[in-house]
Amino acid sequence: MKTIPNITLISAGCSITGDIIVDHGISCFGLCDGGLMSTQGLLHVGEGGLIKGSAQGEHVRIDGRVDGNVHARDSLEINGQVTGDIHYCGTIRLGPRAALNGTLKRLARMLTIEVESDPAPASPSDTRPAAVASVDRGDSNVTEISRAKA
């Protein structure tokens, strides 16, 4: 039986307030004002993507910007900008455009995922609902999140 990978895609122009936790891969090309966590698979912050909070994943690739701490349980590749502490367990690869402002620390393999709780959640400034749709990408199962047109 063939396993179809699951990926959640946050499109460019989409703005999400709050933490996102997925049990599969996620790619962010928009704004996430909160933490972004993938329990397995790839967590990708694409070019133009911005995470204002922590980013945690098994495999983490940053081509955009993260304003917060980064935790990679296996591999970490940075081609973008990180302002915050970086904790990684496996390999790290810095590209020619990598910009780091924080500490870099290699740790023993983390067995658990840290869930940061926000004691006072911020109220969203945009109350329009995000649209979630399944998009056929050939051999993959992709969920795309994009801002609904008002």
Side-chain angles (χ1 to χ4, degrees):
M1 182 172 164
K2 185 176 180 181
T3 303
I4 299 174
N6 288 322
I7 298 172
T8 297
L9 176 65
I10 302 172
S11 301
C14 180
S15 180
I16 296 176
T17 301
D19 296 336
I20 299 173
I21 302 171
V22 297
D23 63 354
H24 51 271
I26 186 166
S27 288
C28 177
F29 293 91
L31 167 66
C32 180
D33 192 1
L36 186 61
M37 183 189 315
S38 172
T39 60
Q40 59 185 330
L42 174 68
L43 184 152
H44 177 226
V45 180
E47 266 189 68
L50 171 60
I51 307 299
K52 291 183 178 181
S54 66
Q56 298 184 44
E58 184 176 16
H59 303 283
V60 178
R61 179 176 179 175
I62 300 170
D63 293 323
R65 188 171 126 197
V66 176
D67 291 342
N69 297 337
V70 174
H71 300 266
R73 293 184 306 281
D74 197 344
S75 63
L76 173 63
E77 182 177 345
I78 301 174
N79 295 306
Q81 179 181 351
V82 176
T83 303
D85 297 337
I86 298 172
H87 304 275
Y88 68 102
C89 301
T91 60
I92 185 170
R93 182 177 185 173
L94 301 177
R97 297 181 301 119
L100 309 175
N101 186 10
T103 62
L104 182 66
K105 187 172 184 179
R106 188 173 198 284
L107 305 172
R109 177 115 175 120
M110 289 184 273
L111 299 177
T112 60
I113 297 172
E114 299 175 21
V115 176
E116 297 175 9
S117 62
D118 187 9
S123 62
S125 60
D126 188 358
T127 58
R128 292 182 294 164
V132 179
S134 293
V135 179
D136 185 14
R137 302 270 193 232
D139 288 352
S140 70
N141 181 9
V142 176
T143 302
E144 183 172 348
I145 300 174
S146 60
R147 178 60 56 201
K149 304 272 186 206

